[in-house]
Amino acid sequence: MIRINALLCLIFGLTAASAWALPETVIEIRNHLFIPQRVTIPANTKVKIIFVNHDDTPEEIDSFDLNREKVVLGHSRATIFVGPLPPGEYQFFGEYHPNTAVGIVEVTDIVEGSNAD
Amino acid sequence: MLINTVILFIRDTLPIFLLYSYLSALPGMSARIPPLSVGSGILLAIVLYFNLDWLSQMAAGAGLELLKIATLMVALGSLCVCLGRAAASNGKPPAVSVWILGLALTAPNAIHFLIYSVAYWPTETSDFNLVFGIIIGLGISSCLAILLYLLISPLGSTKFKWLILLLFCAGQIAPVAALLEQIDYVPNQSRLWDTSRWVADDSEYGHLFNALFGYEATPSLFYLLIYVLTLVGPLFCARLVMRGAPASGHTARWL
């Protein structure tokens, strides 16, 4: 039993350690809008995107390009991992407000313009 | 909001309606089991909804994904039991396994629409649009489910009915791959092919094919692996049961 616990701690520890080392970018949701609407992340790198919802209502982040779908409850935050991706533009939108909540993840080779840090 | 409600209703609840038709069309299925299993799934989704705050924050924010993965794995297990036991009884599955299968496939689909409808119910302009959106979505989903039932129910082939149920279940369970990628439990996979030029995921046909058999325009290797596993696993269980069972006419006839 102790061995199993130790193994689980090791697995979760390694997962957490690898997640902490990743570049991060934060996107806020205010009045059913993504702020910023365009984020730039480095190509061929895994990136942690944190959505912080300041609205009272939930939002469901959806992206056919990134193949991601995540519910962010009101006054809450949610994390998704994307990449490694080739350079290009990847659209995402809020399922509950598709007319206003739209955004783009721009994946580029140029590191200087990156929002992820 | 009206159009969006209709789209969300169809996207989230069409698989539940189709599941109801597939289960109803299974041989020897009691009329009580499909409504009972779908109803239980909706009930489970309601219970989960009221605990969503802490559930979604569990495991560093991966709680909802892990819960959905666990539920879908239960569905896969019950599908194996269904087909294995059905192999020994002329294609008729055990009621308990069908009930669990229905419950486990309904809950992950129902919870998304529940989040939307409960959250937007009290807002000022949404009442009318939300109600009408649900009515229209209900009409479209019901029509498609009835059509599907009328198409598959008269078919004499038990093998075909199980095959299309397997395809449907594979489509419902395979998204586990994307969920695992999203929470960084498996590395992001490159896409095997891209058929979005012909049928895009966000098109009407894309949504319909996704609900019917899990169509993905850009599937990953892991998605395909889980899809094939969901198709082959239950068939393998049925073969094992048949091999162990004494040779009889009925088992071989339908599988």
Side-chain angles (χ1 to χ4, degrees):
Chain A
M1 191 64 190
I2 295 166
R3 280 184 192 170
I4 294 169
N5 284 341
L7 186 69
L8 284 173
C9 285
L10 184 69
I11 291 167
F12 282 112
L14 286 175
T15 310
S18 65
W20 283 334
L22 294 175
E24 285 181 12
T25 185
V26 178
I27 299 173
E28 294 185 45
I29 304 168
R30 281 184 198 274
N31 300 318
H32 317 304
L33 289 167
F34 292 122
I35 303 164
Q37 284 190 314
R38 178 182 283 265
V39 290
T40 309
I41 63 169
N44 305 314
T45 310
K46 186 181 283 182
V47 174
K48 184 178 178 182
I49 302 180
I50 302 164
F51 288 93
V52 184
N53 187 0
H54 296 284
D55 292 339
D56 296 330
T57 50
E59 187 57 88
E60 187 174 334
I61 317 298
D62 201 340
S63 172
F64 292 103
D65 296 344
L66 296 164
N67 199 17
R68 294 289 180 266
E69 192 179 81
K70 178 88 179 175
V71 173
V72 195
L73 299 176
H75 300 290
S76 182
R77 56 171 56 210
T79 305
I80 59 167
F81 293 86
V82 297
L85 293 165
E89 287 193 348
Y90 300 83
Q91 292 187 335
F92 62 93
F93 60 99
E95 283 270 17
Y96 303 159
H97 303 91
N99 295 328
T100 55
V102 285
I104 289 173
V105 173
E106 188 183 354
V107 181
T108 175
D109 287 323
I110 306 157
V111 184
E112 284 162 25
S114 171
N115 293 108
D117 47 31
Chain B
M1 179 145 193
L2 178 67
I3 300 292
N4 198 37
T5 305
V6 174
I7 291 168
L8 287 174
F9 188 92
I10 293 172
R11 192 206 61 173
D12 293 335
T13 65
L14 182 61
I16 301 172
F17 283 84
L18 299 181
L19 174 71
Y20 192 97
S21 297
Y22 285 128
L23 295 183
S24 303
L26 282 178
M29 182 53 56
S30 158
R32 282 179 300 175
I33 298 299
L36 194 70
S37 63
V38 168
S40 309
I42 293 169
L43 204 66
L44 176 63
I46 293 170
V47 171
L48 294 176
Y49 175 80
F50 284 108
N51 293 287
L52 210 57
D53 274 336
W54 67 270
L55 274 173
S56 60
Q57 296 307 317
M58 261 171 50
L64 194 57
E65 280 90 347
L66 289 176
L67 196 76
K68 280 165 79 175
I69 291 165
T71 319
L72 293 173
M73 287 301 105
V74 169
L76 177 59
S78 56
L79 186 64
C80 289
V81 175
C82 270
L83 212 66
R85 295 284 299 277
S89 54
N90 203 17
K92 291 176 189 168
V96 176
S97 305
V98 176
W99 172 65
I100 295 172
L101 175 68
L103 182 149
L105 288 181
T106 301
N109 283 303
I111 196 158
H112 282 267
F113 192 73
L114 209 61
I115 293 168
Y116 173 70
S117 52
V118 175
Y120 291 93
W121 194 265
T123 55
E124 62 290 350
T125 54
S126 64
D127 311 22
F128 174 85
N129 290 324
L130 199 66
V131 171
F132 274 82
I134 289 173
I135 291 170
I136 295 168
L138 201 66
I140 295 169
S141 298
S142 308
C143 286
L144 283 168
I146 291 166
L147 270 174
L148 183 73
Y149 178 76
L150 292 175
L151 274 172
I152 56 174
S153 186
L155 294 172
S157 169
T158 305
K159 191 194 282 183
F160 184 73
K161 286 177 183 174
W162 275 107
L163 186 69
I164 51 171
L165 177 66
L166 274 176
L167 281 170
F168 171 78
C169 291
Q172 293 298 307
I173 294 168
V176 161
L179 291 172
L180 286 169
E181 279 179 19
Q182 176 165 303
I183 57 175
D184 198 28
Y185 277 47
V186 295
N188 201 34
Q189 310 267 310
S190 57
R191 307 295 136 186
L192 290 177
W193 62 74
D194 187 353
T195 52
S196 49
R197 276 177 301 167
W198 296 301
V199 182
D201 281 331
D202 56 348
S203 68
E204 291 86 352
Y205 284 116
H207 284 299
L208 181 65
F209 292 163
N210 182 270
L212 281 172
F213 54 86
Y215 171 79
E216 273 283 329
T218 54
S220 66
L221 180 65
F222 196 40
Y223 181 92
L224 207 63
L225 206 67
I226 297 178
Y227 193 96
V228 172
L229 186 77
T230 313
L231 282 179
V232 175
L235 284 172
F236 182 70
C237 289
R239 286 279 173 197
L240 274 183
V241 171
M242 280 169 63
R243 198 176 290 171
S248 76
H250 356 259
T251 49
R253 211 180 302 144
W254 71 276
L255 202 68

